[in-house]
Amino acid sequence: METQTTGLLKGSEITIKCLELLGVDVVFAYPGGQAIELHQALSRSGMRVVLPRHEQGGAFAAGGYARASGRVGVCMATSGPGATNLVSGIADAYMDSIPTVFITGQVPSSMIGKNVFQETDIIGVTRPIVKHSFLVLDANDIPRIMREAFYIAQSGRPGPVVVDIPKNVQQQKCKVDFDQAPELKYYHPDPALDPAAVGKIKAMIAASKRPCIYAGGGIISADASEELVKFAESYNIPVVTTLMGIGAIPDSHPLSLRWLGMHGTVYANYAANECDLLLAFGARFDDRVTGNPKSFAVGAKIVHVDIDDSEINKNKPADLGVLADIREVLTKLNEAPEPQEYAEWFARIREWKKKYPFHYRNKPDHVQPQFVMETLSRLTRGQAVIVPGVGQHQMWAAQYYDYNYPRQLLTSGGLGAMGFGLPAAMGAKVACPEKTVINIDGDGSFQMNIQELGTLFVEEIPVKMIILDNQHLGMVAQWEDRFYNHNRGNTVLGRCKGSNGCGSGKNCDDCDGTRCTDRPYPDFVMIANGYGIPGRNVFTREELVPAIEEMLAADGPFLLDVHTGYEEHVLPMIPPGGDYTAIIME
C-alpha cells in the first residue's frame, strides 16, 4: 500500500480503503446486520461489488476468481449464519492452496462470548481450515492487519485468511497511517534454496534409467509452468500431473502423459509407479493419486520439492526432500541441463499409450457425456476455461477436454465440494472477462448453488453452463454399482421408483432402464428462463453441435441441459485402497 494519512475515518472505511490500496478490484460480498457498516463504505468505493445470492456462492466465487487470475480473491459476509455459510468455500481454498481473504462482520466486542443474536466464533470454527486468522479489536490496527492478511494469503504456500471485525470496531473513528509495517516475526514463507540440492537432483537424474516428473498444483501456484516444460524438454523426462496440475504442460505435448490417480490415464499411473526416479514437484502425494502410499512407486527413488516443509515426508517418505520455491529450483536446473535418451523407457511408455488411451463404447443413439466433452473441446479449440462441479462430470471434464495452458481447469480437488462449479465459474469470468468460461456440472451439483443464476443475470456475467443431466448423484451411484451390488441408497434425483434406478423421470414401479425425454425433471431451462437467462435442452447427438454453437455465440450467460441419462461409469478407475495394478478399465 502507498503511504497515506487521512482525517478521522470509521474502521469500516479504513477496511475498504485498505482493499483499494492493496489493488483489489472486486469483492464478493453479502450484507447483514454486523456487516452493514462495511457495505456502507463499499457503496462509496470504486471497487466492483458482486452480490451473490448465498454466502457460499460468494466464497466459491472468490476462490474461482483467485484460481483463474492468481490474485487474491476477496469475500465478505456478516456474522453468525453469514460467516458459517462461508465455511465450505474456506475449506476448499485451504485444501487447494488458493489465495483468498474472507472478511466477516462480528457482534460488538463487548458481547463476544455471550451468545447474542447472530454470534458465532468464526475464528474458532475456521481455525483448522485457514492459513491464519485475525480478530480485530482496534481500528488503528486495520491497515497492518490487512497488509498481513494479504501477504500471508498469497506468499509461500497460498491459502485462505479470515479477518473478523466486530461492529463497534467498524464504527470506531480514528486517524491512521495506512503504511503500517507488518509484524510477522515468525512467518518465513520463502525458504532459501540450498545450492547443493540442485546438484543432488542432477546426480539422481543422471543415475536414472526411467525418470518421471510428478507435477502438482504447486506448479500452477508458483507460475512455474514455463519452467516445468523447459525442464522436461531439456532433460527429456515424461510428465504426469495431478488433477490440480492439469495445464502445467499442454496435453498435446509429446512428453505429457496427462494426469494420474483414481480416474487418470492408465499410462500416467504406470509411468509413475514403474519409474526408478519420481520427481515430485509441488505435489503432496494425495490419496486419490497414491491409493495406499506404501504400494505407490515402490521401486523409485523419490525427490520431493515443496515450499511447505510439512508436506515433505508426510504421506510418502522422500529420498531427497527439498524445501524451496519450485520455480527457483527449476530455473537452477534449467541453467545446465544434462539430457539422456531413455530409449527403452520411452518405448514402454509408447506401448502403454497405444494400448490404454481414454476410451468409451460409442452409443450413437445416446448423448454420452464423454462425447459432449469431446465435442465441446473441438468447438472451442481447447481454449475455454472449464469449471466443473464435483462428481462424474468433473472427471469427464478432466479426461475428454484438451487442456493447453495453466489455470484452464478450475476444480475443487482436495475438498471435492459439490456446488462449487457455478459460483466458481462466476468468479473466474469476473477475473478473466476476455476468456470463454464454461461451467460443466451435474444436475446434483448444479442445484446446490443454482441461486447464483440470479447473480449472473443481474451482474451480467456471461458464464456458459452445460449440465450433464443423468438424474443421479452419479459418482456415488457408480460406487453403488461397483461395490454395493447396484443397491441405490438415495442417489436417484429423478422421480423414478424402479429397482434399476434409471432416473429417467418416469413414475413407474419397475424401471426397465429406458430413458424418458418428454418431461425433464427439474426443468433447468425453465428455471434459467425464470432468472432471465436463455437455455436449451439437448436430447440427441444431432442437437448437440448447434446447441453448443448457440451457447458460445450468445452475448450473455446461457444454459444447456444435456440429457445423458445414467448409463456411463467414469473409467479407468482404481478401486479405493487398491493400486495401479488393480485398475478397472471396463
Side-chain angles (χ1 to χ4, degrees):
M1 292 189 293
E2 298 176 1
T3 302
Q4 182 174 351
T5 57
T6 184
L8 291 178
L9 292 176
K10 286 183 176 182
S12 56
E13 295 169 328
I14 295 168
T15 302
I16 302 310
K17 186 64 176 178
C18 285
L19 293 178
E20 293 172 343
L21 294 172
L22 285 161
V24 175
D25 57 0
V26 62
V27 179
F28 300 90
Y30 202 95
Q34 306 302 337
I36 192 168
E37 291 280 355
L38 292 166
H39 281 262
Q40 289 297 302
L42 274 172
S43 71
R44 297 184 289 273
S45 170
M47 289 185 297
R48 181 180 183 182
V49 179
V50 174
L51 173 66
R53 295 311 186 259
H54 190 289
E55 289 93 349
Q56 185 182 104
F60 283 140
Y65 177 96
R67 290 169 188 264
S69 66
R71 301 189 296 273
V72 176
V74 181
C75 182
M76 190 178 295
T78 192
S79 65
T84 56
N85 280 342
L86 301 176
V87 169
S88 292
I90 295 171
D92 178 73
Y94 180 75
M95 293 287 284
D96 288 346
S97 304
I98 306 301
T100 41
V101 170
F102 295 88
I103 301 170
T104 52
Q106 184 55 276
V107 300
S109 56
S110 62
M111 297 181 179
I112 291 176
K114 297 183 179 180
N115 290 335
V116 298
F117 180 66
Q118 292 194 332
E119 180 198 355
T120 299
D121 177 9
I122 197 62
I123 298 294
V125 168
T126 60
R127 194 178 303 279
I129 54 169
V130 295
K131 190 174 178 184
H132 196 64
S133 55
F134 298 88
L135 174 60
V136 185
L137 296 177
D138 187 339
N140 287 284
D141 296 331
I142 291 175
R144 173 185 58 79
I145 287 174
M146 294 302 292
R147 269 176 169 266
E148 292 178 2
F150 273 70
Y151 178 64
I152 291 170
Q154 61 192 328
S155 59
R157 181 180 183 173
V161 176
V162 166
V163 180
D164 195 32
I165 311 177
K167 189 168 185 178
N168 64 303
V169 177
Q170 298 174 39
Q171 295 171 329
Q172 178 188 347
K173 290 186 176 182
C174 57
K175 182 177 182 179
V176 299
D177 180 358
F178 283 89
D179 199 26
Q180 297 175 25
E183 298 177 2
L184 299 170
K185 297 178 181 178
Y186 304 105
Y187 178 59
H188 305 289
D190 301 312
L193 172 62
D194 179 1
V198 175
K200 291 177 182 178
I201 296 173
K202 282 189 171 185
M204 294 177 74
I205 294 173
S208 170
K209 301 298 183 185
R210 303 186 306 278
C212 180
I213 298 166
Y214 160 43
I219 296 291
I220 309 292
S221 297
D223 292 323
S225 298
E226 183 178 339
E227 289 78 8
L228 174 71
V229 173
K230 183 177 180 180
F231 172 78
E233 292 173 344
S234 299
Y235 285 80
N236 193 34
I237 300 176
V239 182
V240 304
T241 76
T242 64
L243 184 70
M244 294 298 299
I246 287 176
I249 183 171
D251 286 347
S252 59
H253 195 286
L255 292 171
S256 171
L257 305 185
R258 302 193 67 173
W259 54 288
L260 82 167
M262 180 174 283
H263 296 293
T265 66
V266 174
Y267 46 87
N269 281 295
Y270 272 55
N273 278 280
E274 298 195 13
C275 66
D276 63 3
L277 176 65
L278 188 65
L279 300 165
F281 293 157
R284 60 187 180 90
F285 293 91
D286 172 67
D287 62 285
R288 281 297 176 103
V289 165
T290 66
N292 183 348
K294 292 182 179 179
S295 60
F296 178 73
V298 293
K301 296 286 186 181
I302 293 178
V303 174
H304 190 178
V305 181
D306 205 288
I307 201 164
D308 182 355
D309 59 352
S310 71
E311 289 295 345
I312 298 173
N313 295 317
K314 183 173 79 174
N315 294 329
K316 183 74 177 179
D319 295 278
L320 176 62
V322 180
L323 178 63
D325 183 328
I326 185 57
R327 186 175 183 180
E328 182 182 0
V329 173
L330 290 171
T331 299
K332 292 293 184 182
L333 287 168
N334 288 336
E335 289 178 355
E338 300 171 5
Q340 298 185 54
E341 187 176 354
Y342 306 119
E344 183 179 342
W345 179 226
F346 277 104
R348 291 178 65 184
I349 290 172
R350 284 193 297 272
E351 183 178 343
W352 291 330
K353 292 181 76 170
K354 182 178 180 180
K355 189 175 181 180
Y356 304 116
F358 279 139
H359 74 283
Y360 60 98
R361 294 180 181 178
N362 190 37
K363 302 174 183 176
D365 57 336
H366 292 73
V367 194
Q368 292 166 276
Q370 303 95 322
F371 176 74
V372 175
M373 292 310 306
E374 287 178 331
T375 304
L376 180 66
S377 185
R378 174 171 56 85
L379 293 178
T380 58
R381 298 180 175 85
Q383 293 301 310
V385 174
I386 303 298
V387 191
V390 168
Q392 286 181 311
H393 62 277
Q394 176 190 25
M395 298 296 103
W396 285 317
Q399 290 178 338
Y400 289 97
Y401 195 93
D402 295 320
Y403 295 95
N404 295 287
Y405 58 88
R407 304 188 187 279
Q408 187 178 8
L409 175 68
L410 312 179
T411 188
S412 179
L415 190 65
M418 291 179 66
F420 169 90
L422 176 57
M426 180 172 75
K429 184 62 178 178
V430 170
C432 303
E434 76 286 357
K435 293 182 179 179
T436 299
V437 176
I438 304 175
N439 165 220
I440 305 296
D441 237 319
D443 46 313
S445 190
F446 189 77
Q447 290 182 81
M448 285 197 170
N449 274 310
I450 195 171
Q451 75 286 335
E452 299 309 326
L453 289 169
T455 310
L456 297 186
F457 174 74
V458 172
E459 297 287 340
E460 299 182 337
I461 304 172
V463 169
K464 314 303 180 186
M465 296 156 280
I466 297 179
I467 300 174
L468 302 180
D469 191 344
N470 63 13
Q471 297 285 294
H472 278 65
L473 300 178
M475 188 60 83
V476 185
Q478 175 172 327
W479 280 48
E480 290 173 335
D481 290 341
R482 294 284 175 174
F483 310 117
Y484 295 90
N485 197 31
H486 304 277
N487 186 57
R488 290 286 174 260
N490 306 305
T491 53
V492 180
L493 296 174
R495 292 169 295 165
C496 174
K497 304 298 183 182
S499 58
N500 292 326
C502 74
S504 65
K506 296 190 297 181
N507 188 14
C508 56
D509 294 326
D510 189 13
C511 177
D512 61 3
T514 58
R515 299 185 310 145
C516 175
T517 58
D518 58 340
R519 295 179 63 190
Y521 170 83
D523 192 332
F524 288 112
V525 173
M526 182 180 292
I527 294 170
N529 291 165
Y531 279 103
I533 294 173
R536 180 168 171 175
N537 283 295
V538 174
F539 296 108
T540 68
R541 286 197 175 199
E542 291 71 27
E543 295 172 306
L544 182 63
V545 169
I548 292 177
E549 290 176 339
E550 181 181 357
M551 176 191 75
L552 295 174
D555 290 334
F558 194 99
L559 182 146
L560 288 187
D561 188 6
V562 183
H563 299 268
T564 65
Y566 179 74
E567 297 162 344
E568 301 291 326
H569 284 184
V570 178
L571 296 172
M573 178 183 186
I574 299 177
D579 60 28
Y580 78 107
T581 63
I583 295 177
I584 300 169
M585 301 185 198
E586 296 292 342

